[in-house]
Amino acid sequence: MVRMRNAKGSNATEIEKKIKRGNALRQGSAWRGYRGPVALLLVSVCACTVAVWMYIYSLDSDITETLVSQRELVSSHPRVYTVQCSEDYDNQKRYPGCTPQKCGRAVTDSVVTREEAQILRRLAERGLGLAGSEGGASILDLHSGALSMGKQFVNIYRDVRGRIQAVIAETFGLDPALLYLTKPTFFSRINSTAAKTQHDEYWHPHIDKVTYGSFDYTSLLYLSDYGSDFTGGRFIFMDQSGNRTVEPRAGRVSFFSSGSENLHRVEKVSWGTRYAITVSFTCDPAHAISDPTLP
């Protein structure tokens, strides 16, 4: 009887060990089954992380200097960066008191208030909502669009244009009476939508004097904020010694002489929507235009 009880106890122990070994083998087999998908998931996550960092780096990699960041407030006087005038002006008709004698670029946050920029942005949204492009870039000529935007736009634009003209004249040592508004002068809206036509490809380098002919001084009034309203979309001056950027800020005015000394481009918008107004000036009275009016 004792031997039988011992045999039964031994058999039970063996059975229990076999059950445990079986469970362990099944768990190991299950882990081996999951190990492949888990490893693939980890590799995918790592690859995505690397891709994101490479993309972020690529956005900034060609910027050698930020002239003015979005966080900065340039008050009192414009921040001026002088550059040597190009030889282009030697082959063009000169207008004393207006044709650039000193060239450069400048930024100010004290000419237009953020409240005025918000009003203009709402008007831009309304106007471009009626006549926007399906691609990533849309423009609305301020003169042809004045009728749809109404009296409020005409009044505030005339006042803002006058202040921008005055600060350009003061900064570059010009006679403001010899500086004329010229066309095109327009709202622009840029987002990350893929380009549908060549006109949507706003990011190509260009020279305003070559592209538009009549431009002698170019200004941009930003209506939205880099970093919160959109990313990408920075204005980039392409100098021989490196690329320099101005980060948009609502109410900020960036202006510069329009010759080849200020070759530039706009960085592709990667998220959100960038709104701005381009206000251009000429020294040639034959290319002068009047402010927008209502009939």
Side-chain angles (χ1 to χ4, degrees), residues 155-181:
N155 290 340
I156 191 172
Y157 169 76
R158 184 183 294 120
D159 187 29
V160 165
R161 189 272 306 155
R163 280 180 265 156
I164 293 174
Q165 183 171 346
V167 75
I168 291 175
E170 182 180 0
T171 301
F172 287 103
L174 314 175
D175 182 345
L178 300 176
L179 190 62
Y180 307 98
L181 184 68

Side-chain angles (χ1 to χ4, degrees), residues 199-246:
H199 296 293
D200 296 323
E201 298 178 1
Y202 56 85
W203 53 82
H204 296 299
H206 63 277
I207 299 164
D208 284 352
K209 185 68 175 176
V210 174
T211 302
Y212 301 108
S214 62
F215 283 30
D216 287 300
Y217 299 93
T218 306
S219 72
L220 290 110
L221 166 58
Y222 294 108
L223 307 179
S224 48
D225 290 313
Y226 171 76
S228 56
D229 294 321
F230 64 94
T231 54
R234 292 174 296 181
F235 191 97
I236 300 173
F237 291 105
M238 304 175 68
D239 300 327
Q240 288 185 349
S241 58
N243 293 333
R244 294 169 173 83
T245 186
V246 173

Side-chain angles (χ1 to χ4, degrees), residues 15-210:
I15 291 170
E16 185 177 352
K17 288 180 178 180
K18 289 180 179 179
I19 291 172
K20 289 181 177 179
R21 281 198 300 271
N23 288 337
L25 289 172
R26 281 193 295 273
Q27 289 174 356
S29 178
W31 164 244
R32 284 193 295 273
Y34 284 118
R35 188 164 53 188
V38 169
L40 183 60
L41 178 62
L42 290 173
V43 170
S44 299
V45 169
C46 291
C48 289
T49 302
V50 170
V52 168
W53 278 108
M54 288 180 67
Y55 174 70
I56 292 173
Y57 176 77
S58 70
L59 291 179
D60 299 335
S61 61
D62 64 347
I63 304 297
T64 56
E65 181 183 0
T66 299
L67 298 179
V68 185
S69 72
Q70 190 278 334
R71 296 184 302 274
E72 294 179 83
L73 182 65
V74 183
S75 56
S76 300
H77 301 288
R79 188 176 298 177
V80 181
Y81 302 88
T82 302
V83 297
Q84 184 176 355
C85 292
S86 66
E87 297 178 356
D88 305 349
Y89 299 104
D90 296 335
N91 302 318
Q92 298 169 4
K93 183 177 179 180
R94 290 186 170 273
Y95 296 87
C98 184
T99 297
Q101 297 295 312
K102 65 175 183 178
C103 297
R105 60 211 48 161
V107 180
T108 179
D109 294 319
S110 61
V111 171
V112 180
T113 67
R114 289 180 69 84
E115 291 72 24
E116 289 171 323
Q118 289 170 358
I119 293 171
L120 288 167
R121 174 174 169 171
R122 287 195 294 270
L123 292 168
E125 290 171 338
R126 189 173 74 189
L128 287 163
L130 299 172
S133 166
E134 293 182 359
S138 299
I139 64 171
L140 177 64
D141 181 82
L142 297 186
H143 287 70
S144 60
L147 187 61
S148 65
M149 288 180 283
K151 185 177 181 180
Q152 182 186 25
F153 163 73
V154 171
N155 290 340
I156 191 172
Y157 169 76
R158 184 183 294 120
D159 187 29
V160 165
R161 189 272 306 155
R163 280 180 265 156
I164 293 174
Q165 183 171 346
V167 75
I168 291 175
E170 182 180 0
T171 301
F172 287 103
L174 314 175
D175 182 345
L178 300 176
L179 190 62
Y180 307 98
L181 184 68
T182 192
K183 61 181 180 181
T185 297
F186 54 88
F187 278 122
S188 62
R189 179 186 67 194
I190 304 175
N191 57 40
S192 59
T193 304
K196 304 294 184 183
T197 69
Q198 187 176 1
H199 296 293
D200 296 323
E201 298 178 1
Y202 56 85
W203 53 82
H204 296 299
H206 63 277
I207 299 164
D208 284 352
K209 185 68 175 176
V210 174

